[in-house]
Amino acid sequence: MKKTAFALFVLSLAAVAFGEATITDVSLRQRWPWGREVDVYFTVRGATEPIAVRPTFTVGGEPLAVADSALGGDRAGLVSGLHHLVWTPSASDFGDRTKLLDVKVSLAPAPMPLYAIYDLTDAGTPQGPTYVFEDDLRAGKWGTWQENPYDYINSVIWTGVTEDMNYKTNKLVLRYVPPTTSAAWLAHAGVDTYQMGTSADTPSKDSDGTTYVYDVPNCSPQQTVKLTQGFWLGVFEVTQAQYAEITGLWPSWFSNTTVRANRPVESVPYSTFRGSKAGYLWPSNGHAVASNSFLGKLRKRTGAAFDLPTEAQWEYACRAGSTDIRYGVDKEISRSWWSGASWNYKDGASANTGTAEVGSYAPNAWGFYDMLGNVWEFCLNGWSTYADAKVAGTDPIGPTVDSDTRVIRGGPYYEYSSRSTAPCRASGAGSNVNRYESSYYGFRVCLPMK
């Protein structure tokens, strides 16, 4: 019997530069028996910010069609140091696998991808995400896209994500959010911080040109926040279909089977989607969640350490560079009472009753949908008054006293438009509450950088 062995592949890449970063010392080894996983080892040098790598596998100079789902390990968020990429050839049909003994690889350094797509349907061995890079998006490989419509920051939005139902049901799409210490943010803001909250009542215009002055509660005075780590955030609020894909359950109040799938999941308290014991104690227990919670099951399905965003991360992503209380005008961006939404005691069968299908309203400058209106979104933070919330400073995690009451952000479908603003804070019960009230509560997932 042969012991576990490795076949040495051909080293094919010298140093390749991306900005100040280079990739060196690339080697491949295939695990015995042949045809199983291939380990790619490499070194990143001189990376001043996290980068990605884009591998190209060739045989006899001809490229192999290797799907992202066949790749795992270190592909994005890489800093200087040793890294390890894993390729599973069995995920693709290459015919005669002995030809793989002649395979070569080149690793191109690249900027961080804009989007990551996780398949929620595979309950077997977790697969890595599929990444959407900006150059591929601009080339039309992912459907429609646009330059964001807000002139205060440069970015690209993948609008095609709203046109494919799979991205709202059996897949999970995330957008990368760079830290405030990144070159991209510094070029926009000129400082490595952002201003959280609002210092005074703020005027804003509705789509008919009318100017309103809003009393935005619980978010004054402004706080200075620095975020040193980038993170991934769900493009949409978690939908009822995505929740059912992971848990098998349809717990939401708006339960009409003809319209429910793409609406946000609600009536699910913090203690259910994160856990009522270890998962309930943020920040005492850090990112620990219960294995039988939604997030615990999502982690097992995807192999990724999903959680909720802190409210500092949430507001930063919601603003996307805006210093106003919102990123657009009321009726274009938010599902709220002001935009015509109504509450129905039955099941929300009509298109204008209750919550809206995610992605129905205009996105912000970073391509996030429904961050204002539709449902309140739970954050990790326990609730406290703004003065005591510990939201300021570097990578703030909120108050250290665990609380049953949690911070919710963004405003719900049946509330005044002043609640559907970036700085507005409110409190939501973390454990079971009555169905009417909890139909206001939803969430979107966050994936912290390693």
Side-chain angles (χ1 to χ4, degrees), residues 226-394:
K226 176 189 287 189
L227 299 175
T228 64
Q229 299 293 322
F231 56 95
W232 300 88
L233 190 68
V235 167
F236 303 123
E237 295 155 333
V238 172
T239 66
Q240 295 187 39
Q242 289 168 333
Y243 192 88
E245 185 68 51
I246 298 300
T247 67
L249 302 175
W250 296 82
S252 297
W253 175 259
F254 296 108
S255 57
N256 184 283
T257 56
T258 61
V259 297
R260 67 183 181 178
N262 293 347
R263 290 186 173 190
V265 67
E266 24 79 9
S267 303
V268 181
Y270 184 101
S271 58
T272 297
F273 57 74
R274 201 164 186 271
S276 59
K277 293 183 179 179
Y280 202 67
L281 300 178
W282 169 272
S284 298
N285 288 347
H287 290 287
V289 298
S291 61
N292 63 347
S293 68
F294 169 80
L295 286 170
K297 293 178 179 180
L298 180 63
R299 291 180 181 187
K300 183 177 181 181
R301 180 70 58 89
T302 61
F306 286 103
D307 210 329
L308 302 179
T310 66
E311 65 168 323
Q313 290 172 325
W314 188 96
E315 185 171 331
Y316 177 58
C318 177
R319 287 182 175 278
S322 173
T323 56
D324 197 358
I325 60 172
R326 53 172 54 87
Y327 51 79
V329 295
D330 295 348
K331 294 178 182 178
E332 295 175 356
I333 62 169
S334 66
R335 175 68 158 187
S336 64
W337 170 83
W338 194 254
S339 66
S342 62
W343 188 81
N344 186 301
Y345 189 76
K346 295 181 179 179
D347 62 7
S350 71
N352 200 42
T353 301
T355 56
E357 176 183 345
V358 297
S360 296
Y361 292 81
N364 73 358
W366 281 338
F368 293 109
Y369 290 86
D370 305 303
M371 294 203 78
L372 302 181
N374 221 14
V375 288
W376 285 112
E377 297 180 18
F378 274 106
C379 296
L380 278 172
N381 303 53
W383 172 259
S384 67
T385 63
Y386 206 54
D388 299 327
K390 297 183 180 179
V391 296
T394 300

Side-chain angles (χ1 to χ4, degrees), residues 22-350:
T22 60
I23 296 177
T24 63
D25 307 322
V26 182
S27 65
L28 293 85
R29 295 179 183 272
Q30 186 174 23
R31 302 176 194 175
W32 175 263
W34 315 137
R36 296 185 63 183
E37 288 81 359
V38 176
D39 297 290
V40 182
Y41 300 93
F42 60 98
T43 301
V44 174
R45 302 181 188 277
T48 57
E49 293 188 7
I51 66 167
V53 294
R54 304 184 73 174
T56 301
F57 296 89
T58 60
V59 172
E62 295 297 322
L64 292 172
V66 176
D68 267 15
S69 60
L71 299 173
D74 301 334
R75 291 192 292 145
L78 308 184
V79 297
S80 294
L82 299 175
H83 293 283
H84 176 208
L85 179 68
V86 180
W87 170 38
T88 305
S90 59
S92 302
D93 183 10
F94 297 129
D96 183 3
R97 297 194 185 281
T98 61
K99 293 181 179 179
L100 296 181
L101 294 175
D102 298 322
V103 76
K104 296 182 180 180
V105 67
S106 61
L107 295 179
M112 286 288 291
L114 295 183
Y115 296 87
I117 306 168
Y118 284 85
D119 187 348
L120 302 181
T121 63
D122 189 354
T125 302
Q127 301 295 318
T130 297
Y131 287 122
V132 178
F133 289 87
E134 182 174 342
D135 57 348
D136 289 338
L137 192 62
R138 289 181 178 276
K141 295 181 179 180
W142 292 94
T144 60
W145 63 277
Q146 68 175 40
E147 303 284 352
N148 93 75
Y150 307 114
D151 59 9
Y152 50 76
I153 197 169
N154 295 323
S155 62
V156 180
I157 296 172
W158 179 22
T159 53
V161 73
T162 67
E163 299 164 2
D164 187 336
M165 185 173 178
N166 288 312
Y167 297 134
K168 302 177 182 181
T169 54
N170 55 34
K171 297 183 186 293
L172 181 63
V173 182
L174 313 172
R175 170 85 186 217
Y176 177 64
V177 181
T180 62
T181 54
S182 67
W185 181 259
L186 289 171
H188 160 70
V191 294
D192 63 356
T193 58
Y194 87 98
Q195 294 300 302
M196 183 176 172
T198 184
S199 57
D201 294 344
T202 308
S204 189
K205 287 187 177 181
D206 196 4
S207 54
D208 61 4
T210 305
T211 298
Y212 298 90
V213 176
Y214 292 100
D215 176 18
V216 182
N218 303 317
C219 54
S220 182
Q222 283 187 306
Q223 308 285 314
T224 299
V225 175
K226 176 189 287 189
L227 299 175
T228 64
Q229 299 293 322
F231 56 95
W232 300 88
L233 190 68
V235 167
F236 303 123
E237 295 155 333
V238 172
T239 66
Q240 295 187 39
Q242 289 168 333
Y243 192 88
E245 185 68 51
I246 298 300
T247 67
L249 302 175
W250 296 82
S252 297
W253 175 259
F254 296 108
S255 57
N256 184 283
T257 56
T258 61
V259 297
R260 67 183 181 178
N262 293 347
R263 290 186 173 190
V265 67
E266 24 79 9
S267 303
V268 181
Y270 184 101
S271 58
T272 297
F273 57 74
R274 201 164 186 271
S276 59
K277 293 183 179 179
Y280 202 67
L281 300 178
W282 169 272
S284 298
N285 288 347
H287 290 287
V289 298
S291 61
N292 63 347
S293 68
F294 169 80
L295 286 170
K297 293 178 179 180
L298 180 63
R299 291 180 181 187
K300 183 177 181 181
R301 180 70 58 89
T302 61
F306 286 103
D307 210 329
L308 302 179
T310 66
E311 65 168 323
Q313 290 172 325
W314 188 96
E315 185 171 331
Y316 177 58
C318 177
R319 287 182 175 278
S322 173
T323 56
D324 197 358
I325 60 172
R326 53 172 54 87
Y327 51 79
V329 295
D330 295 348
K331 294 178 182 178
E332 295 175 356
I333 62 169
S334 66
R335 175 68 158 187
S336 64
W337 170 83
W338 194 254
S339 66
S342 62
W343 188 81
N344 186 301
Y345 189 76
K346 295 181 179 179
D347 62 7
S350 71

Side-chain angles (χ1 to χ4, degrees), residues 409-421:
R409 289 299 206 111
Y413 63 90
Y414 195 54
E415 183 59 272
Y416 291 103
S417 197
S418 61
R419 301 303 190 261
S420 296
T421 54

Side-chain angles (χ1 to χ4, degrees), residues 430-442:
S431 55
N432 289 315
V433 291
N434 68 71
R435 291 291 299 281
Y436 169 78
E437 181 182 352
S438 63
S439 72
Y440 288 3
Y441 300 160

